[in-house]
Amino acid sequence: MKAKIILQYAIGPIGAAALSSITLPFIAWFFSTEDVGRLTMLQVVVGLSVSLFSLAMHQSYVREYHEEKDKEALLKLSIIPGLVLLTSFTVFFSIAPFSISNILFGIESTILSCLLFVCVYSAFFINFLAHAIRMQERGLAFSATQITPKALLLLFISLIMLLSLAAEFKTLMLMNTLSVFLSFLVFSWLTRKTWIIAIDKTVNIILLKKMLAYSLPLVMGGMAYWGLTAMDRFFIRSLSGFQELGVYALAASLAGAVSVLTSIFSSLWHPTLYRWVKEGVDKNKIQCVIESMVLVVTLVWSLIGMFSFLIPLVLPKEYFAIEYLIIACVAMPLFYLLSETTGVGIGISRRSTFSMLASLIALLINAILNYLLIPIYGASGAALASVIAFFVFFTVKTEASALVWVSLPRFKIYVILIGYIGAAFTVVLTKSSINQFYLVWCGLAIISSLLFKERLWSSVSYIVFKVKGNK
């Protein structure tokens, strides 16, 4: 893929991560840790809603995109089942005798409940429209949709000072809802030529059944993955309260900035992979991608380990624990990123049940470890539980891919990752109290480079060649 196209896809995630790095500390300074915890519950519920109500049909859309000629009809088929289900649930919660805002946020408010529904519907449609843009390989448009919600949220939060608004959760909820809804409008405008045509398309029942057969096994996997990433928030809220939840959530959110790599890579990888599948897959090309991603993951983890002490300098003193929590929290997006390459055989063979199995096993382990560790270690226990659970998730996907497709070399990958897990555990349990521990992170990066020296050398040579060629 050309460097220009890669850059177009990279602008959005990088810009979104940069804006998040400004927005999150800003929120931490103006709002209480309890309100930051409530914001986390909002994000968790919106994520659950997208995972549940989409019925994983966006993944069927991606899988069938290069196989079907009528792209607009394909988009319509992917949206309809989930929209019907979401509307049914909305009606139920609207007439229910209990307050959903009280259950989630500990605040009785009809306004908060309405804002929640607006967020959920907006996120639901954004999920599908974003995949449409990505599969059309419109890099700049895709990047714009990533930057827009972050930029809008930062803008709205800035109004606190300008308009002297009350720094309370209702204000924070309103700002978040406005940013998501306006982002949905931007997505709608950018994809108007697709969804307007899609409205009049007839429903192909045969294709719909085929898509559901692929996606429904992924729903359970998606729900399990949501639980894997969000369960710790519920345990912390229950066992430690909103204050510690706020600290942990901010650490996880900052670590989630690493997801910029996942976003860029997924935007490029899935269309490319399934194009390779159609043309005939070369396993050596897959192995090159896997080894390259191992080097990226280990380098990023080492850099965060060495420089995490800088993060508390820009946050209120209540967030000092983020220095060591983030080292464990960053394992979640990194393991997921790596599993996108090592688990390719699952998508190639259409054996989506193995993705569900990986999520379910990791979910069970995460639940047990959260229950055991949080009462003892608090947020640190939740972070450690997530490291183990995501490593299990990565391992199951990797081994399943080897089982159903091609068994690629992976022993060296496990060796270096176990080393990083050990270092992360040491930092969290000692609360970053060991002097000169940065030497361990440097050592791990060197070991990783030596284990994959051929791939590192070829990558560096390729980059040098490209740089010289552009002069």
Side-chain angles (χ1 to χ4, degrees):
M1 188 170 286
K2 295 181 179 180
K4 180 180 179 181
I5 298 177
I6 295 175
L7 179 61
Q8 290 177 350
Y9 277 103
I11 290 173
I14 293 173
L19 289 170
S20 292
S21 67
I22 299 172
T23 305
L24 291 173
F26 200 73
I27 292 175
W29 279 105
F30 280 91
F31 292 88
S32 67
T33 53
E34 289 83 359
D35 285 341
V36 173
R38 292 187 177 97
L39 178 63
T40 299
M41 295 303 299
L42 168 64
Q43 294 168 342
V44 164
V45 170
V46 171
L48 168 64
S49 300
V50 172
S51 296
L52 174 62
F53 298 119
S54 69
L55 297 177
M57 288 290 279
H58 56 285
Q59 297 194 47
S60 282
Y61 174 80
V62 171
R63 183 65 185 87
E64 302 298 333
Y65 188 84
H66 291 294
E67 307 292 335
E68 296 293 328
K69 293 182 179 180
D70 196 337
K71 315 299 184 185
E72 292 79 14
L74 187 66
L75 178 63
K76 180 176 181 178
L77 287 176
S78 67
I79 293 176
I80 287 178
L83 182 59
V84 172
L85 183 63
L86 173 58
T87 302
S88 300
F89 269 75
T90 301
V91 172
F92 169 76
F93 282 113
S94 298
I95 62 177
F98 53 82
S99 169
I100 192 170
S101 69
N102 189 40
I103 294 174
L104 296 176
F105 313 124
I107 301 174
E108 183 79 32
S109 173
T110 302
I111 294 177
L112 289 181
S113 297
C114 291
L115 291 176
L116 174 63
F117 289 130
V118 173
C119 274
V120 169
Y121 270 95
S122 299
F124 173 84
F125 285 111
I126 284 174
N127 179 50
F128 288 100
L129 297 180
H131 281 83
I133 291 175
R134 192 184 77 176
M135 296 307 295
Q136 293 167 5
E137 298 188 7
R138 298 164 60 191
L140 288 178
F142 183 78
S143 290
T145 56
Q146 298 240 311
I147 293 175
T148 299
K150 304 294 183 182
L152 289 173
L153 181 58
L154 180 60
L155 174 64
F156 292 144
I157 291 178
S158 299
L159 294 176
I160 296 175
M161 294 184 297
L162 297 177
L163 302 179
S164 300
L165 298 175
E168 59 184 16
F169 179 67
K170 288 184 179 180
T171 305
L172 188 58
M173 179 79 167
L174 176 61
M175 292 172 179
N176 191 84
T177 303
L178 285 174
S179 66
V180 175
F181 178 70
L182 291 178
S183 298
F184 160 65
L185 295 181
V186 172
F187 273 77
S188 300
W189 173 257
L190 292 174
T191 58
R192 63 191 183 282
K193 293 182 180 179
T194 299
W195 62 262
I196 290 176
I197 296 175
I199 292 175
D200 294 328
K201 293 290 182 178
T202 57
V203 176
N204 185 333
I205 299 298
I206 296 176
L207 179 57
L208 179 60
K209 291 180 179 180
K210 180 182 177 181
M211 294 176 69
L212 286 171
Y214 178 81
S215 69
L216 288 180
L218 295 174
V219 176
M220 183 62 70
M223 291 293 295
Y225 183 78
W226 169 85
L228 183 60
T229 56
M231 177 185 296
D232 46 10
R233 276 73 163 177
F234 287 99
F235 273 100
I236 293 175
R237 179 192 172 185
S238 176
L239 301 175
S240 299
F242 277 114
Q243 184 171 359
E244 189 147 353
L245 173 60
V247 176
Y248 178 80
L250 190 57
S253 297
L254 290 173
V258 175
S259 296
V260 63
L261 299 175
T262 304
S263 182
I264 295 173
F265 179 73
S266 296
S267 300
L268 302 171
W269 176 234
H270 290 124
T272 302
L273 173 64
Y274 292 125
R275 191 182 304 117
W276 287 355
V277 171
K278 189 175 182 180
E279 298 169 355
V281 183
D282 182 355
K283 67 178 183 180
N284 292 324
K285 293 169 70 174
I286 301 292
Q287 184 65 22
C288 288
V289 175
I290 291 174
E291 292 182 358
S292 297
M293 290 313 303
V294 171
L295 289 169
V296 170
V297 165
T298 54
L299 175 61
V300 170
W301 208 342
S302 286
L303 288 174
I304 292 175
M306 287 187 285
F307 297 104
S308 64
F309 70 94
L310 296 174
I311 298 175
L313 300 180
V314 296
L315 295 170
K317 61 182 181 179
E318 304 95 276
Y319 295 90
F320 72 93
I322 288 180
E323 177 181 349
Y324 53 87
L325 288 177
I326 194 171
I327 294 174
C329 289
V330 78
M332 294 182 272
L334 290 179
F335 279 139
Y336 181 81
L337 171 62
L338 195 53
S339 74
E340 289 286 272
T341 58
T342 61
V344 292
I346 296 174
I348 292 174
S349 63
R350 298 178 185 265
R351 303 288 292 276
S352 53
T353 51
F354 282 99
S355 290
M356 176 185 68
L357 180 65
S359 297
L360 288 173
I361 293 174
L363 175 66
L364 178 61
I365 292 174
N366 200 28
I368 294 172
L369 292 178
N370 271 289
Y371 180 76
L372 295 175
L373 297 179
I374 289 178
I376 302 173
Y377 299 106
S380 296
L384 297 177
S386 294
V387 172
I388 297 174
F390 267 85
F391 179 67
V392 170
F393 173 81
F394 160 79
T395 302
V396 174
K397 283 191 68 176
T398 302
E399 294 304 312
S401 178
L403 177 66
V404 301
W405 185 55
V406 176
S407 181
L408 298 172
R410 52 200 183 277
F411 177 75
K412 292 189 293 185
I413 299 176
Y414 289 132
V415 169
I416 191 62
L417 291 181
I418 290 173
Y420 273 89
I421 291 172
F425 266 58
T426 301
V427 170
V428 173
L429 293 176
T430 61
K431 298 183 178 181
S432 295
S433 61
I434 300 177
N435 294 328
Q436 298 181 330
F437 199 81
Y438 67 91
L439 295 175
V440 174
W441 297 112
C442 291
L444 287 169
I446 293 172
I447 293 172
S448 178
S449 299
L450 292 174
L451 288 174
F452 300 96
K453 57 182 181 295
E454 293 181 2
R455 178 58 42 211
L456 178 62
W457 175 251
S458 61
S459 299
V460 171
S461 299
Y462 177 79
I463 294 172
V464 171
F465 174 78
K466 283 295 184 180
V467 171
K468 289 182 177 181
N470 292 329
K471 288 184 178 179

